[in-house]
Amino acid sequence: MAFLRHYALGELRDFQPGRRGRRGRLITDAGRFWLVGPGMTDPFLEALLEHLAGHGLPVPTVVRGHDGRWIRSLGEYPGALVRWPEGQHPQRLEPDACARVGDLLGRIHLAGLEFTQSRPPHRDHRWRRQSTDALAPDLTPEARTLLHEEIRFQGLYRHTDLPQGTIHGAPNRRRLVIDETGRVGLTGFGHASRCALLVDVAVAVNDCCIGSDGRLDRTLSAALLNAYHRLRPLRPIERGAWPVLLRLAALDGWLETLILGNDGTQARLQLETRIAEAAGLPRHWVG
């Protein structure tokens, strides 16, 4: 691969092409890496990953070439190499793993307070409306109605009065990795932005703290929230926004699944479940 001539990584041993913004996974004499493309290559992300790695956090590490550059041409698009934190994506999480997820998010958010660069969220109300319009021809009338109604509901809120900071944007099981020692790492920072910090917590709880029936599990959510709260104490104003953000996390999770071309049945059921259990969502809080 001509791209690798810019790096001192030895011979290419294996390459597995990726999907969409992720260009592929490769193994060289120097180890395992991800080759990333548009959506994962920009100066903001480069600076953020280096900032977080400088705090010793288990996140993707920027790999620079002989010329010191991270981003370079890869055909028609920009490309870059990152070294992924070791581990496997979890299918289900136990309370101790949920606590480690909460602890990691807390440490990332605290480190982000010192990060001076910012960019607006990609997943805003406009993105949700445009995504739904683009997906509409392939959806059933019931699915379209559900999406439009939830987008209307979410449009009533902005969350700008909540504590703000640098967030990951989508810390779900697809982006979490757990190694054989139980250490939790986080990948896929392409949605990182400045936004309400509670958004990350809601995404993690919504996706990681579910029971076999698809409803939120109080034991799991308490483990994650309490671990996070010990590092960045959650404020009373955040409790009021919590049920809305849990529904927003489910909505965005369904849209992401559909955009990736995957079966959205489970993701849709997750949103329907959050709406149905709306009255009980406030109990998933610290304490």
Side-chain angles (χ1 to χ4, degrees):
M1 181 185 292
F3 187 83
L4 292 181
R5 295 174 186 168
H6 299 283
Y7 304 87
L9 301 177
E11 295 294 324
L12 178 64
R13 301 302 178 187
D14 184 52
F15 177 70
Q16 300 177 16
R19 298 178 60 185
R20 296 181 181 270
R22 183 179 295 173
R23 305 302 292 273
R25 181 172 56 187
L26 53 91
I27 299 175
T28 75
D29 292 338
R32 291 186 290 180
F33 305 88
W34 277 103
L35 177 63
V36 297
M40 280 290 290
T41 51
D42 61 51
F44 170 85
L45 187 58
E46 177 182 8
L48 176 60
L49 292 179
E50 291 204 312
H51 177 81
L52 296 178
H55 282 73
L57 295 168
V59 301
T61 305
V62 168
V63 179
R64 298 192 180 279
H66 300 301
D67 56 3
R69 293 168 53 201
W70 180 50
I71 304 170
R72 66 185 67 255
S73 176
L74 180 60
E76 300 179 25
Y77 304 100
L81 283 179
V82 293
R83 188 188 291 271
W84 236 236
E86 295 294 328
Q88 302 295 321
H89 299 297
Q91 295 300 313
R92 293 185 63 84
L93 281 79
E94 298 299 326
D96 59 340
C98 286
R100 286 193 289 273
V101 171
D103 179 82
L104 176 57
L105 287 179
R107 290 188 289 137
I108 287 174
H109 288 173
L110 290 180
L113 295 178
E114 304 169 8
F115 186 64
T116 58
Q117 298 188 36
S118 67
R119 68 177 177 186
H122 167 66
R123 292 180 172 182
D124 57 13
H125 293 295
R126 181 180 179 183
W127 172 81
R128 294 178 188 104
R129 291 193 299 268
Q130 291 179 340
S131 298
T132 299
D133 290 343
L135 293 164
D138 298 320
L139 299 175
T140 65
E142 294 78 13
R144 288 196 297 270
T145 299
L146 177 60
L147 279 174
H148 284 300
E149 178 55 29
E150 188 61 21
I151 290 171
R152 183 205 62 78
F153 170 79
Q154 293 294 335
L156 301 175
Y157 304 90
R158 287 297 181 267
H159 311 300
T160 54
D161 54 344
L162 302 179
Q164 306 286 304
T166 302
I167 69 167
H168 175 280
N172 53 33
R173 283 172 292 165
R174 289 185 57 247
R175 297 174 176 92
L176 289 164
V177 292
I178 302 179
D179 68 15
E180 57 187 13
T181 70
R183 188 190 194 207
V184 175
L186 187 57
T187 70
F189 278 75
H191 297 294
S193 66
R194 180 172 178 80
C195 192
L197 296 170
L198 197 62
V199 168
D200 267 356
V201 186
V203 172
V205 167
N206 177 73
D207 193 62
C208 298
C209 303
I210 52 177
S212 57
D213 59 356
R215 301 176 71 87
L216 290 178
D217 184 297
R218 180 70 179 89
T219 300
L220 299 179
S221 62
L224 193 154
L225 284 162
N226 288 331
Y228 180 87
H229 181 68
R230 282 193 288 270
L231 292 173
R232 187 190 75 82
L234 293 160
R235 301 179 186 178
I237 192 174
E238 293 179 285
R239 184 168 191 168
W242 181 238
V244 177
L245 286 178
L246 284 173
R247 286 175 57 167
L248 180 65
L251 170 63
D252 286 354
W254 185 20
L255 285 172
E256 178 184 30
T257 300
L258 293 173
I259 290 169
L260 289 173
N262 298 329
D263 179 17
T265 302
Q266 288 301 316
R268 172 182 172 173
L269 287 174
Q270 195 173 73
L271 174 58
E272 291 175 327
T273 301
R274 297 296 170 271
I275 295 172
E277 63 180 346
L281 293 179
R283 74 187 185 92
H284 295 275
W285 195 243
V286 294

